[in-house]
Amino acid sequence: MFRKGMSLRLQLYLLIACLSLFSFGAALYNNVSNMRDYLNEQLASHAQGAAHSLGLSISPYMDEAGLVIAETMTNAIFDSGYYQHITFTDLDGKVLFKRDNPNGNFAVPQWFIDWFTLHPPIMTSEVSDGWRIAGTLEVQSHAGTSYKSLWDHAISSLAATLLQLFVAMICAYLILKAVLNPLRHIEKQAESVIQKRFTLNSINPFTSELRTVVNAINRMVENVQRSFNEQTKLAEALSQEVYIDPHTGLPNRRALLKRFESIQAEYDVHGNRFYLGLVSMTSLKHINDMEGYGSGDDYILSGAQLFSQQMSSLQDATLYRISGSEFAFLSLLTEDAAKTIDQQIASSINIEASDRFVHGFAKHSLTRVNHQEEFAEVVKRLDHQLVHNQYAQNDKGLVTPQSMQKNHTREEWVGMLTQFTEYFTNEISHCHPNDFAIKCIPLDKIFDLMLQPVVDDNQSILYVESFVRFKVDGEMLSTLDVFAMAERLGVLQELEQAVVCFIFYKLSHIEHTRVAINISNRALHNPVFTDWLFDIYQKMHKTLPPLLYEFNESGAMLSLESTEKFIRRAKQLDIDIAIERFGSSLSSFCYIRNLNIDYIKIDPSYVRDIAQADTRFFVQTVTQICHGIGIKIIAPQVESALIGEHFSLMNIDGLQGNGLYAVRNFSTIIPANANHSWTCALQLNDFSQSTNHEAT
């Protein structure tokens, strides 16, 4: 019940309530006890007076004949009901007459009698017969009336005490509420700081100690905000200076080279093909000569605007200005999408054509980049096509590379995606949690789970990132192609759900080690998918290791509102969050200040360019920004010892890459004799160091 502790407010309320109940209860008990003692004294006085009075009354009748009169006088007094016991004995201890009144019903609860028992004393008086002592008279008062008086007094005292207690509790509540209300604002502010939201507290508590705390936290938040803003502006200015073309505001050639190398390095993991396009503003020299350089600058800007609009419809597409008259664009594309964008660019160029542009508004070429193909080789092929197009007046720019992988027909894709999604829909989506693992076993035929650790300076695992590869009949499929065709065929959500189910099924063999799952841009902002994702996690969390969700910076920035909602729900389930490709958009970093994230993976392009002094300074600045608000920094795609040494001097929290530990298929980690209930915590020795790279 109190797993996360008990609030100070509740503790104070309980303390005041317990003290009040104890104090008023003790006061009530003492009041009734004092009344009981008083009544005992009254009973003793009453009995003593009765003993003396009756003794004097019967003393003339101590002869044998007069004892009847003495006994009659005693009966008259005893029958009043105020006496429990009257006994007259002679000097030899012989009882001459005796009267006893049974206890009977005192008209009060028995438990009250047991708690506050009255003890009427037996009072004695000597009875004289002239000058001779005739005997001893013993008198004990009856407690019945006294019990009734004590009970009535207790009831009235209880009512008064409860009224006082109620008034005291109301006053204590109002006072504590007034004192602790500022504490609630302080608590919310502290929680906001933990969640990376740095807001000022406007309250001014009356309590001096709380006022000091508020002022201290506000000053700390102001310092964090000022430091964050200053370092963010510095990082953004450096990014603009190094990676942005000042005339068009587009990324420059250096940014293109970094991005090209980064996508090439990911081919082994995802198998994604990507395309590089080149656009030449062929009439720039003519316009500069005939109209001046100002008109030439406007001509370049118009081209930048036109082609940027074309790129906006593409996935992860970026337009770069790589020289005075040339633009380039880089994007992950399917073959059909490449043909479409080629036609769109050709059409837009034809629309802009006029007599003003004697060499045409622009010429373009586009080609798919082969695995491990050098940037210079690709650009050479594109330049050749541009020259050819210029000479032949050709509008089409798509160049076919010499080595092409097998392309699947639409019918083949329908068959493969049906295999991916149909089994999930029919067998897994509505199965009982106890049958989940058994139902997921056939998914091993179409999916492979790949793992790669993220390690810190002490060579300890921060977490392990997971990837899914698609396979059909032994052929590995491009992740991009699979998801693009799934979206076109309307089964994207089912495919993403099937992938998650497969990952959860495989992760049931892992314990203790935190594992990262990648969330696509579309899934991140799809409320139907996210509701399903968190629902199935709640059903399966007892069989899963600690989780971490990763998503791209570009995906997070599509809608910060839905991103914050996703993060908030993940945090409620103790799931960590990481943003990858941080800095790839070359936009403002301020958005991370209000996101409750745990890790940031800088864009791999910065990792490959870390030997440059300005890149190191940029990464160091980003590291200081993130550490200032409690976010850890990870460098991915570390491919050599030299790169690792650079980052080890920069207080980077984690490293990942083939230069450290290569990607492993989870099926190679599971022992051959393992059954379905086998579990283990992943260790670094489960991941062999890469033989293709020098490990750090």
Side-chain angles (χ1 to χ4, degrees):
M1 181 178 179
F2 299 109
R3 183 177 60 180
K4 295 184 178 180
M6 184 185 297
S7 67
L8 176 62
R9 180 186 299 272
L10 180 58
Q11 292 183 56
L12 289 177
Y13 283 150
L14 289 176
L15 176 62
I16 296 298
C18 291
L19 290 177
S20 299
L21 289 173
F22 176 78
S23 299
F24 285 100
L28 175 63
Y29 183 84
N30 289 335
N31 192 341
V32 177
S33 296
N34 291 336
M35 184 63 178
R36 178 189 61 184
D37 295 340
Y38 170 76
L39 289 175
N40 279 328
E41 293 177 359
Q42 289 295 100
L43 289 172
S45 176
H46 177 260
Q48 187 66 62
H52 287 313
S53 175
L54 181 60
L56 291 174
S57 299
I58 66 173
S59 61
Y61 308 102
M62 289 296 97
D63 57 346
E64 186 175 351
L67 283 176
V68 176
I69 298 175
E71 188 173 356
T72 302
M73 296 176 65
T74 300
N75 289 339
I77 294 176
F78 185 79
D79 289 342
S80 66
Y82 291 108
Y83 301 98
Q84 179 72 28
H85 169 76
I86 298 179
T87 304
F88 180 67
T89 58
D90 58 15
L91 293 178
D92 296 328
K94 180 181 179 181
V95 178
L96 300 181
F97 58 82
K98 179 180 181 181
R99 296 291 182 270
D100 285 314
N101 189 4
N103 290 331
N105 187 1
F106 292 116
V108 296
Q110 183 61 41
W111 62 264
F112 184 78
I113 295 176
D114 295 337
W115 279 20
F116 301 100
T117 305
L118 293 174
H119 301 282
I122 298 175
M123 309 306 293
T124 62
S125 177
E126 291 181 345
V127 179
S128 301
D129 183 12
W131 297 100
R132 180 179 64 86
I133 301 299
T136 302
L137 183 67
E138 295 179 352
V139 179
Q140 183 182 26
S141 296
H142 195 279
T145 304
S146 298
Y147 271 124
K148 186 64 171 62
S149 299
L150 184 62
W151 172 254
D152 292 340
H153 176 76
I155 293 298
S156 62
S157 298
L158 176 62
T161 301
L162 288 177
L163 179 61
Q164 295 174 9
L165 177 62
F166 178 75
V167 173
M169 294 291 285
I170 291 296
C171 293
Y173 170 77
L174 295 176
I175 293 173
L176 284 177
K177 182 178 180 181
V179 172
L180 296 178
N181 191 51
L183 192 60
R184 179 183 301 175
H185 293 277
I186 297 174
E187 180 186 11
K188 290 182 178 179
Q189 186 184 27
E191 290 177 349
S192 296
V193 170
I194 294 174
Q195 298 172 2
K196 318 299 188 301
R197 295 198 303 268
F198 298 91
T199 56
L200 296 178
N201 198 339
S202 60
I203 65 169
N204 189 24
F206 176 77
T207 307
S208 60
E209 291 84 357
L210 292 181
R211 183 180 301 180
T212 301
V213 173
V214 169
N215 292 336
I217 295 180
N218 279 342
R219 184 164 298 180
M220 180 199 70
V221 169
E222 288 176 345
N223 292 336
V224 171
Q225 287 180 335
R226 182 171 58 253
S227 176
F228 180 87
N229 292 334
E230 291 174 353
Q231 293 181 338
T232 299
K233 290 179 181 178
L234 177 61
E236 291 172 358
L238 181 61
S239 177
Q240 293 286 328
E241 180 181 350
V242 177
Y243 301 109
I244 300 297
D245 173 59
H247 180 57
T248 61
L250 297 174
N252 57 22
R253 182 183 181 90
R254 183 173 175 181
L256 171 62
L257 289 172
K258 292 195 302 140
R259 180 62 175 154
F260 182 92
E261 294 173 353
S262 175
I263 297 179
Q264 274 283 39
E266 293 179 345
Y267 186 92
D268 290 333
V269 175
H270 301 293
N272 292 333
R273 65 184 71 183
F274 67 103
Y275 283 77
L276 179 66
L278 199 61
V279 180
S280 177
M281 308 297 290
T282 50
S283 296
L284 178 61
K285 185 177 184 305
H286 175 76
I287 290 179
N288 283 338
D289 293 341
M290 301 301 296
E291 301 179 21
Y293 288 99
S295 297
D297 290 343
D298 293 338
Y299 170 53
I300 292 297
L301 288 175
S302 64
Q305 182 179 5
L306 173 65
F307 301 124
S308 293
Q309 292 174 353
Q310 298 289 337
M311 297 303 107
S312 62
S313 61
L314 299 180
Q315 177 184 2
D316 293 330
T318 306
L319 183 67
Y320 303 83
R321 188 187 183 195
I322 60 175
S323 68
S325 62
E326 289 183 329
F327 296 94
F329 60 91
L330 197 62
S331 180
L332 300 173
L333 295 172
T334 62
E335 184 179 5
D336 291 341
K339 293 178 180 178
T340 301
I341 193 61
D342 177 50
Q343 295 172 358
Q344 291 176 353
I345 293 176
S347 298
S348 63
I349 290 176
N350 287 333
I351 292 174
E352 296 295 326
S354 68
D355 294 339
R356 180 189 177 201
F357 309 114
V358 295
H359 300 295
F361 180 77
K363 292 295 180 182
H364 80 288
S365 58
L366 174 66
T367 187
R368 199 192 78 192
V369 181
N370 289 322
H371 180 39
Q372 295 184 345
E373 188 175 13
E374 296 292 336
F375 178 79
E377 296 175 3
V378 183
V379 172
K380 182 179 179 180
R381 187 164 67 248
L382 292 173
D383 281 335
H384 177 77
Q385 182 66 26
L386 281 177
V387 173
H388 174 76
N389 289 350
Q390 181 70 22
Y391 176 77
Q393 297 296 314
N394 184 12
D395 294 334
K396 302 299 182 182
L398 186 59
V399 184
T400 302
Q402 294 179 351
S403 59
M404 287 287 290
Q405 294 180 346
K406 175 184 176 182
N407 293 317
H408 295 279
T409 65
R410 181 181 179 88
E411 290 74 18
E412 290 174 332
W413 277 115
V414 170
M416 288 185 292
L417 290 173
T418 300
Q419 183 181 6
F420 287 158
T421 60
E422 194 174 67
Y423 182 79
F424 165 77
T425 304
N426 296 335
E427 300 293 337
I428 301 178
S429 59
H430 303 294
C431 74
H432 192 275
N434 293 337
D435 301 326
F436 181 80
I438 297 176
K439 293 290 187 180
C440 288
I441 291 176
L443 295 179
D444 280 317
K445 298 179 180 179
I446 53 180
F447 298 134
D448 274 337
L449 183 66
M450 315 302 294
L451 301 176
Q452 188 176 39
V454 177
V455 298
D456 58 17
D457 287 340
N458 298 321
Q459 289 296 294
S460 298
I461 294 179
L462 287 178
Y463 65 88
V464 175
E465 185 174 3
S466 64
F467 315 91
V468 171
R469 284 180 176 173
F470 302 89
K471 58 184 180 181
V472 172
D473 299 328
E475 177 193 355
M476 291 297 174
L477 300 179
S478 164
T479 303
L480 173 66
D481 288 346
V482 173
F483 279 100
M485 291 304 300
E487 182 177 17
R488 177 177 297 183
L489 298 176
V491 292
L492 178 61
Q493 180 171 303
E494 290 80 0
L495 176 62
E496 291 176 327
Q497 290 175 328
V499 170
V500 171
C501 286
F502 172 72
I503 295 175
F504 280 5
Y505 151 63
K506 292 302 239 180
L507 295 188
S508 63
H509 296 292
I510 301 176
E511 58 183 3
H512 307 308
T513 310
R514 189 173 295 276
V515 180
I517 299 176
N518 289 280
I519 307 296
S520 69
N521 293 355
R522 294 182 182 88
L524 179 65
H525 304 291
N526 182 352
V528 176
F529 176 83
T530 54
D531 288 343
W532 172 87
L533 176 65
F534 290 115
D535 181 63
I536 191 174
Y537 173 78
Q538 288 179 297
K539 294 178 181 178
M540 307 296 301
H541 75 278
K542 291 183 179 179
T543 64
L544 296 174
L547 292 186
L548 180 148
Y549 289 150
E550 281 190 0
F551 45 83
N552 287 343
E553 179 184 62
S554 58
M557 296 182 67
L558 289 175
S559 173
L560 289 178
E561 181 180 355
S562 59
T563 299
E564 290 180 10
K565 181 179 179 181
F566 181 91
I567 294 174
R568 186 164 54 250
R569 295 183 65 180
K571 287 298 181 180
Q572 291 173 353
L573 299 174
D574 295 326
I575 299 174
D576 285 353
I577 298 294
I579 291 182
E580 55 182 356
R581 298 194 181 282
F582 182 76
S584 60
S585 62
L586 299 176
S587 58
S588 175
F589 303 149
C590 292
Y591 74 94
I592 65 170
R593 181 172 56 188
N594 295 320
L595 295 182
N596 186 16
I597 58 179
D598 302 280
Y599 299 93
I600 274 180
K601 276 187 177 180
I602 59 176
D603 190 72
S605 59
Y606 297 108
V607 177
R608 295 181 173 274
D609 202 34
I610 198 64
Q612 301 296 324
D614 49 9
T615 301
R616 288 200 302 274
F617 181 74
F618 173 80
V619 172
Q620 186 67 62
T621 303
V622 171
T623 302
Q624 292 174 355
I625 292 173
C626 294
H627 284 176
I629 56 177
I631 300 175
K632 295 182 178 180
I633 296 291
I634 295 172
Q637 293 189 16
V638 176
E639 303 296 330
S640 69
L642 181 60
I643 293 177
E645 289 174 1
H646 282 301
F647 283 109
S648 65
L649 300 175
M650 300 171 63
N651 297 320
I652 297 294
D653 300 288
L655 301 175
Q656 179 186 17
N658 290 331
L660 301 170
Y661 296 92
V663 177
R664 285 285 304 274
N665 193 319
F666 184 57
S667 61
T668 64
I669 299 176
I670 299 178
N673 59 349
N675 56 30
H676 68 278
S677 62
W678 174 85
T679 59
C680 75
L682 294 176
Q683 305 292 333
L684 282 180
N685 55 17
D686 294 324
F687 301 90
S688 60
Q689 293 186 336
S690 175
T691 58
N692 297 325
H693 304 273
E694 183 182 358
T696 56

